[in-house]
Amino acid sequence: MYLFGERFGPEPGVKDKVFGFLPGNGIHDIHMNQGNSGRFRGDDGVWQDGGVLIHFPAPDRWVGIFLAFQSQSWHTDDVTGHPLDDVDGNRPEPGTLPVRIVAALVNPPGPAPEPETVTLLNASPDPVDLTGWRIGDRLGQKSPVPAGTLAAGACLLVPLAGGDARLGNHGGEITLFDDRALKVHGVSYTKEQAAREGWTVVF
């Protein structure tokens, strides 16, 4: 088991709460460390979230556990880690996202640079204005979504050739951002999914 967090201690006069050894010494904050509220706001930061990784040797597999408190904001400032005051910080309910990524052509036929595409679906009953929206890759590079309105129930094929986002063939992430640069939806794919040249990955 591998724990990622922040060390505390040693505490010479305080016994460990679980095992009772002296001095108290250990690791905490093995959870999301952004978007805190109230007295925990001072713990906010970026690129310092904790987590737990468990390795099972037989069969060889890894399990990741990533935790957050319900009081923590879903949208945070990229510099301070504090909650954004003017947006809804609650976690979106599954199935309620109006526009989502439903497919991507990660590995088109032919030599690089390849004409990669991402397919968006407006699952809501209302049209959505996509002006200013962007598609981001695993490295944070972004490509523009064509400006205009996406009708209710309609799909849009977004070419990435006109921007900086690239979909690697060794696995990656695809993120959809709105006109305020807030994450709207995100998906990931594996190396195995990207290995089939010319096939569209469906999420």
Side-chain angles (χ1 to χ4, degrees):
M1 179 180 292
Y2 301 82
L3 304 178
F4 293 86
E6 184 176 7
R7 180 180 179 179
F8 69 85
E11 301 171 315
V14 180
K15 289 185 177 182
D16 182 84
K17 294 179 180 180
V18 177
F19 301 104
F21 56 75
L22 276 174
N25 192 11
I27 184 172
H28 64 163
D29 289 345
I30 55 172
H31 52 75
M32 176 180 170
N33 288 305
Q34 303 181 49
N36 288 295
S37 60
R39 64 188 181 94
F40 298 105
R41 185 178 174 91
D43 295 335
D44 285 341
V46 296
W47 304 112
Q48 65 175 39
D49 291 325
V52 180
L53 295 179
I54 305 173
H55 180 225
F56 296 92
D60 185 22
R61 70 185 182 102
W62 290 83
V63 173
I65 303 173
F66 305 99
L67 306 170
F69 294 99
Q70 290 183 337
S71 59
Q72 290 178 297
S73 176
W74 194 252
H75 290 295
T76 58
D77 186 274
D78 289 340
V79 176
T80 66
H82 296 326
L84 297 177
D85 296 328
D86 56 345
V87 300
D88 181 5
N90 294 318
R91 181 181 185 274
E93 290 294 328
T96 63
L97 298 171
V99 182
R100 60 195 73 172
I101 301 167
V102 293
L105 181 56
V106 175
N107 187 9
E114 304 160 315
E116 301 162 341
T117 61
V118 173
T119 304
L120 305 180
L121 166 68
N122 179 5
S124 78
D126 303 306
V128 177
D129 184 5
L130 301 182
T131 302
W133 288 40
R134 293 182 174 273
I135 297 286
D137 63 16
R138 181 177 60 86
L139 299 178
Q141 302 176 115
K142 298 178 181 178
S143 292
V145 173
T149 300
L150 183 59
C155 288
L156 176 66
L157 197 67
V158 180
L160 300 185
D164 295 323
R166 297 288 182 269
L167 305 181
N169 294 344
H170 298 286
E173 300 171 357
I174 310 171
T175 305
L176 177 63
F177 297 93
D178 66 13
D179 59 342
R180 301 175 65 187
L182 297 177
K183 179 178 179 179
V184 174
H185 191 224
V187 296
S188 62
Y189 61 92
T190 65
K191 178 180 179 180
E192 290 72 25
Q193 288 176 301
R196 303 177 69 188
E197 187 177 73
W199 282 77
T200 296
V201 178
V202 179
F203 303 106

